[in-house]
Amino acid sequence: MEDFTQIREGILRDIRSSVSLEDAEDKRIKYLSKKGEITLLFGQIKTIAPDKKREFGQFVNSLRDEALDLINEVKAGFSDKNKEPIDTTLPGRKFYRGRYHPLNLIKDELKTIFGQMGFSVATGPEVETEYYIFDALNMPSWHPARKTTDSLYVDKGRLLRTETSSVQIRTMEKGKPPFRIISPGRVYRNEKENATHTAMFTQCEGLYINRGVSFAELKGTLKEFFKALYGKNTQVRFRPHFFPFTEPSAEVDVSCFKCGGAGCSLCKSSGWLELGGCGMVHPKVLENVGVDSEEFTGFAFGLGIERLAMLKYGVNDIRDFTENDLRFLEQF
Ligand code: FA5
């Protein structure tokens, strides 16, 4: 028994004297692996005198358990010591906050500025019928926009809306004049992409119908809007244009942010960026929705929200808005 006690104490002392986690692991291998010293003691049982066998077996079993517990305990001690102490003087971890996408920032500004002029927000579906996109908007059957080469059809008679102007019809159908709404939303076109054009983009439709509304009010409303968005000195121009749903019609441009009007690749040397279309709502459109065009007149406009954002934030390439590059998005 004296020998047993000495063997036991020697082994436990050896384990306790481990100097590192690795050292403790070496001790486990030394004593408890397949060929470890304690494991080999089990093989000795058959050489022990029969009357001592039981006592020896109990000793080896409890030695194995004790050694294993001690090794685990020693290892745990080293693991704790290896853990980095908490340095309470370090600055806290940075908390990354989400932020608004630049297009949403512009949308919010649009809602605020037009809201102050009395416009409320209307919405409409992105999958539209030909009626709301073409027929009710006075688009002739031969109009190129109706072709699948320009529009993205979902099935016969249904397509992804190519413009937010369909919301004009949906709004007027539902109520009685006066109407004063804006409608920001996505539109889709079968379009080749470049620095100023994408196949999916956002527009903000505007509609004001009342008695005696004039083209002067349309110009005044859009000029005030651009000044509120870009500052008092903003240059705005209206160019005659054609839209089937307005008469007269115009396109509205703002001086190019990149070259300041001198002409560059972004503005195709013109010094101006086209931001939207507008005009006086065509009498046929009013009649299509049951509004008396003798009594009521009004204007409508459709602004490209990406283009508004490009000008506001100095973005050279419209594709940046949808590429999800954090280096771009974190600037807003
Ligand atoms: C229209 O979509 C008309 N519905 C606008 C309108 C509304 C006229 C109400 C009269 C009354 P247009 O196709 O020009 O018009 O588009 C309007 C604006 O959307 C453009 O001036 C431009 O700012 C933007 N836009 C047009 N195509 C793209 C495109 N592929 N990528 C990005 N922006 C575009």
Side-chain angles (χ1 to χ4, degrees):
M1 274 311 282
E2 237 169 64
D3 282 354
F4 289 174
T5 310
Q6 269 179 12
I7 293 170
R8 175 181 168 274
E9 281 179 1
I11 290 175
L12 296 181
R13 197 180 315 117
D14 187 32
I15 293 171
R16 225 176 271 119
S17 69
S18 303
V19 293
S20 66
L21 200 60
E22 294 73 29
D23 195 17
E25 174 60 10
D26 287 346
K27 300 279 167 67
R28 188 192 65 77
I29 294 166
K30 180 178 172 190
Y31 293 114
L32 297 169
S33 66
K34 244 183 173 179
K35 291 193 175 160
E37 291 177 22
I38 296 176
T39 315
L40 290 178
L41 284 178
F42 283 98
Q44 302 286 314
I45 294 178
K46 57 180 180 288
T47 65
I48 301 291
D51 59 326
K52 296 271 183 206
K53 259 195 178 102
R54 187 184 157 84
E55 196 185 348
F56 183 76
Q58 279 174 346
F59 162 72
V60 181
N61 263 326
S62 69
L63 178 59
R64 182 198 50 201
D65 293 347
E66 261 189 296
L68 188 62
D69 285 350
L70 187 59
I71 286 169
N72 287 338
E73 195 182 306
V74 168
K75 278 185 175 175
F78 284 120
S79 309
D80 279 350
K81 275 180 213 150
N82 287 345
K83 269 190 199 147
E84 266 182 47
I86 295 168
D87 183 350
T88 51
T89 64
L90 285 173
R93 289 213 180 95
K94 198 173 168 194
F95 178 65
Y96 286 94
R97 297 180 62 178
R99 58 189 82 204
Y100 280 109
H101 190 278
L103 296 181
N104 282 335
L105 291 174
I106 292 286
K107 263 188 235 166
D108 280 352
E109 277 204 73
L110 277 163
K111 287 180 194 167
T112 305
I113 298 169
F114 282 117
Q116 285 163 351
M117 297 186 202
F119 288 79
S120 56
V121 176
T123 54
E126 289 180 20
V127 177
E128 263 297 6
T129 61
E130 281 184 313
Y131 174 75
Y132 287 103
I133 281 288
F134 302 129
D135 302 331
L137 284 167
N138 194 34
M139 278 221 198
S141 55
W142 49 262
H143 199 281
R146 288 184 181 250
K147 299 231 173 75
T148 49
T149 44
D150 285 332
S151 305
L152 299 158
Y153 279 80
V154 176
D155 50 40
K156 201 170 178 308
R158 289 200 313 153
L159 67 159
L160 296 179
R161 66 179 180 191
T162 49
E163 54 191 2
T164 42
S165 298
S166 48
V167 184
Q168 288 184 35
I169 306 299
R170 288 187 175 274
T171 303
M172 291 192 283
E173 256 184 3
K174 273 189 274 186
K176 295 222 169 305
F179 301 103
R180 187 150 41 174
I181 58 105
I182 57 161
S183 183
R186 281 199 200 99
V187 301
Y188 306 82
R189 292 181 189 179
N190 195 359
E191 185 116 50
K192 261 218 168 114
E193 303 207 331
N194 57 32
T196 48
H197 292 80
T198 44
M200 181 196 78
F201 61 100
T202 31
Q203 286 188 336
C204 180
E205 194 73 14
L207 175 74
Y208 177 44
I209 305 287
N210 209 341
R211 290 182 185 88
V213 179
S214 70
F215 198 89
E217 277 166 274
L218 164 61
K219 284 182 83 174
T221 302
L222 286 181
K223 275 192 176 168
E224 278 312 303
F225 164 70
F226 287 123
K227 285 185 179 177
L229 189 64
Y230 298 126
K232 282 199 180 84
N233 298 325
T234 307
Q235 299 292 311
V236 184
R237 77 171 184 186
F238 292 83
R239 270 180 299 109
H241 196 70
F242 171 77
F243 293 105
F245 34 89
T246 46
E247 182 59 37
S249 306
E251 280 194 320
V252 57
D253 303 339
V254 172
S255 47
C256 176
F257 70 88
K258 200 176 170 199
C259 61
C264 67
S265 58
L266 187 71
C267 60
K268 297 194 197 94
S269 309
S270 71
W272 298 90
L273 281 175
E274 178 205 317
L275 294 185
C278 60
M280 299 305 290
V281 176
H282 199 292
K284 271 202 177 151
V285 173
L286 294 176
E287 280 152 27
N288 286 343
V289 291
V291 172
D292 184 350
S293 62
E294 294 290 326
E295 189 181 353
F296 291 97
T297 53
F299 63 76
F301 56 84
L303 306 170
I305 294 183
E306 283 79 0
R307 303 269 179 93
L308 293 172
M310 287 170 85
L311 203 59
K312 173 101 185 177
Y313 300 121
V315 175
N316 289 330
D317 195 318
I318 193 170
R319 291 165 291 196
D320 288 341
F321 291 119
T322 42
E323 271 175 5
N324 266 348
D325 186 335
L326 284 182
R327 289 169 301 177
F328 172 74
L329 296 173
E330 278 175 355
Q331 295 175 62
F332 299 94

